[in-house]
Amino acid sequence: MAITKSCYVKLSQNCGYFNTSDACGIVTTASSVYIIDTGVSSQDGEDLVKAIGEIFPQKKIAAIINTHSHSDHSGGNAAIVRLTGAQVWCSEKADCILRMPEITGYLYSGGTPVNEIAGHNRVKSEYSRADRFIKEETIEIEGVKLSFIPSEGHFFGHYGILADDGDKKVYFLGDGFFGKDMLKKAWLPFIYDGDAFRKSIEKIEKTECDYYVAAHGGVYTKDTVHAAAELNIMVTLEAELKILKLLKKKAMSHEEILKEILDFAGIKPKLIQYLLIGTTIQSYLSCLCNRGLIKYRLEDNRMLWYNDSDSDSDYL
C-alpha cells in the first residue's frame, strides 16, 4: 500500500501516523516534522516526503527517528535524507546496521546468504547513518516532549518513542509490540530474546498513554492495550512451552524442531520466512538453555537439544 496523504491519521494536535502495513509515525512542532520510521524502500521515502509536503506545507522535515534498523522501518531513510537533508536519529546499535544493512542477511542465514536472500527487501536497502544517537532520556522540542524508551527483545537497540504534546500522549512502539491482527497471521514474529521482549511488553503496558501505535497491527488505547499486551506475552510463552514439550519426547536438532513448529502452526513458508522463523527458534533455544530449562549435546556430529526435567513446573 502506497504512502499517500489520504493514509494519514491524526491522533493529537501534533501526532499522527500513516496507516499502511509499516505504519510511519509523525510528530510535528511549530516549524518542523519528525518522522518515526520510514517504510521499506526508497519509494516509501519519496512517498513520505511528498505526502508530508502536502499535509504540512509550511514545515520542514527535521529528522528521521528510527525505532530500530530493520529495513521495513528504515528503508526510506536514504531517500528522505537526499531529498530534504533531514538528520537520522537512532540508537548506537541500530546505526551499526543502518551503515551495513546486508549484515542481516548473514545473521538470518548463519553465513553468506544465497542471492534470493541477499537481494530481498528485508535485507537489501540503501545505506544510511545516524547524525544523533538516542538514549534513554526525554527531550523537548518547541513544546513537544519526546521520550526515548529502550524496548529490547525484537532486535538490537530497539527504542519506543513517546510523544507528549500537551494534548495527548502517543507511544510509537515500532516492533516492540505487535498488533493482534498481525499475531493472528504470524504466530511467530521475529524475536531474538523472548525474556527481554516480555519485559518490554510489561513496561509498555504500565506506561500510561492515550494511544499506542504498533508499526504492524494498528493503534491501541489505554483501554485496549492490556489485552493486546497479554497476547504478545502469550505467543512467546506458547512457543517456548511447545519447544519444551517437544524436547521432552526426544533430543532434536534445530532443523527438526523448526519443522515441528512450522507443521504445528500450519505454516508453509517462503525462504525468507523460513530463515526468520529459524532464527527466532534458535533464539528461543538459546534463551531456554541459558535459563537452565533445556540442554544440548553433540552426538554423531549433530547438535541436539533436549529437556531432561521431570516437569515443567519451574517454567510455568
Side-chain angles (χ1 to χ4, degrees), residues 35-56:
I35 306 172
I36 299 173
D37 291 338
T38 61
V40 73
S41 66
S42 295
Q43 185 63 57
D44 283 346
E46 294 170 9
D47 291 346
L48 276 168
V49 171
K50 182 175 185 295
I52 290 168
E54 293 171 351
I55 300 167
F56 307 105

Side-chain angles (χ1 to χ4, degrees), residues 12-229:
S12 72
Q13 183 177 336
N14 295 82
C15 300
Y17 72 104
F18 287 95
N19 186 22
T20 62
S21 58
D22 303 299
C24 303
I26 297 294
V27 178
T28 65
T29 65
S31 63
S32 302
V33 176
Y34 295 81
I35 306 172
I36 299 173
D37 291 338
T38 61
V40 73
S41 66
S42 295
Q43 185 63 57
D44 283 346
E46 294 170 9
D47 291 346
L48 276 168
V49 171
K50 182 175 185 295
I52 290 168
E54 293 171 351
I55 300 167
F56 307 105
Q58 305 303 318
K59 300 181 190 292
K60 67 175 182 178
I61 298 175
I64 296 158
I65 308 174
N66 289 126
T67 58
H68 63 299
S69 56
H70 273 155
S71 61
D72 55 333
H73 293 258
S74 61
N77 281 19
I80 294 170
V81 171
R82 253 194 324 270
L83 292 169
T84 70
Q87 290 191 339
V88 176
W89 300 0
C90 66
S91 70
E92 193 167 359
K93 288 181 180 180
D95 180 58
C96 294
I97 295 189
L98 291 182
R99 290 169 180 260
M100 191 179 176
E102 65 269 25
I103 200 171
T104 56
Y106 291 79
L107 172 66
Y108 304 149
S109 302
T112 300
V114 297
N115 290 339
E116 179 181 342
I117 297 303
H120 197 281
N121 62 13
R122 291 296 300 267
V123 170
K124 186 178 182 180
S125 60
E126 286 193 80
Y127 302 115
S128 61
R129 58 183 296 173
D131 299 286
R132 174 176 180 166
F133 293 142
I134 63 176
K135 58 183 180 180
E136 188 171 8
E137 64 176 345
T138 298
I139 63 173
E140 186 168 336
I141 307 171
E142 296 183 289
V144 178
K145 293 180 181 178
L146 294 177
S147 297
F148 306 121
I149 304 171
S151 48
E152 291 286 351
H154 169 70
F155 204 51
F156 313 111
H158 190 295
Y159 275 75
I161 318 299
L162 196 162
D164 181 357
D165 60 10
D167 175 28
K168 304 286 185 184
K169 290 183 179 180
V170 181
Y171 199 166
F172 297 97
L173 304 172
D175 284 351
F177 182 108
F178 297 106
K180 291 190 291 184
D181 289 343
M182 183 201 166
L183 291 174
K184 289 176 182 176
K185 294 177 183 177
W187 174 64
L188 278 169
F190 184 88
I191 289 173
Y192 82 89
D193 187 330
D195 294 333
F197 183 77
R198 286 189 288 270
K199 290 176 182 176
S200 294
I201 293 295
E202 290 169 358
K203 186 194 302 184
I204 290 166
E205 190 177 8
K206 291 175 182 176
T207 303
E208 291 193 9
C209 293
D210 296 283
Y211 297 105
Y212 304 77
V213 182
H216 309 293
V219 177
Y220 297 86
T221 68
K222 53 190 174 184
D223 295 322
T224 61
V225 70
H226 303 292

